[in-house]
């Protein structure tokens, strides 16, 4: 049975954090083990720039971008809404969120 897996990636100082690439690798393994599906990354940033291209190169089939000037810093309400909307629009069977301080706050909210 094919599944879709969503990965919430973190950005710090305009750069993707390593945990995002690791999450995409894990998501790819899950999709392959399930017999197919897609991997998407959700990016919550002030300005995406070239980050979607980097995420595609790291293994994301789709990159869902939520740009908002308030996303320069972690905004619990905004990040939660963006990730929840991405889960719904992508029909994610699983969501991977890093075990960072941000991720530990975001995961239960989502």
């Amino acid at each position: 049975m094919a599944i879709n897996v969503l990965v919430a990636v973190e950005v710090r100082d305009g750069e993707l954090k390593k945990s995002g690439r690791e999450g995409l690798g894990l998501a790819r393994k899950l999709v392959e083990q399930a017999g197919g599906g897609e991997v998407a990354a959700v990016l919550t940033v002030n300005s995406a720039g070239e980050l979607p291209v980097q995420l595609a190169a790291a293994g994301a089939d789709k990159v869902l971008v939520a740009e908002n000037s308030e996303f320069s810093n972690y905004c619990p309400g905004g990040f939660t809404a963006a990730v929840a909307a991405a889960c719904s629009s992508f029909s994610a069977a699983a969501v991977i969120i890093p075990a960072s301080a941000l991720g530990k706050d975001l995961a239960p909210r989502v």
Side-chain angles (χ1 to χ4, degrees):
M1 170 177 36
I3 63 168
N4 292 335
V5 180
L6 180 70
V7 180
V9 297
E10 289 184 49
V11 175
R12 173 146 316 155
D13 299 325
E15 299 291 325
L16 291 175
K17 290 187 68 177
K18 181 181 173 184
S19 61
R21 289 183 183 84
E22 292 170 346
L24 289 169
L26 174 60
R28 179 64 52 205
K29 287 180 186 177
L30 292 171
V31 165
E32 289 172 1
Q33 288 174 353
E38 291 186 306
V39 172
V42 59
L43 183 60
T44 49
V45 290
N46 179 32
S47 175
E50 292 296 314
L51 295 173
V53 174
Q54 293 175 25
L55 288 166
D61 297 315
K62 294 183 178 183
V63 179
L64 307 171
V65 179
E67 285 183 318
N68 188 310
S69 61
E70 293 182 9
F71 293 166
S72 293
N73 296 305
Y74 177 56
C75 170
F79 275 49
T80 300
V83 174
C87 289
S88 179
S89 70
F90 183 60
S91 300
V95 181
I96 296 174
I97 299 176
S100 63
L102 184 151
K104 288 178 182 178
D105 185 72
L106 179 63
R109 294 173 188 271
V110 173

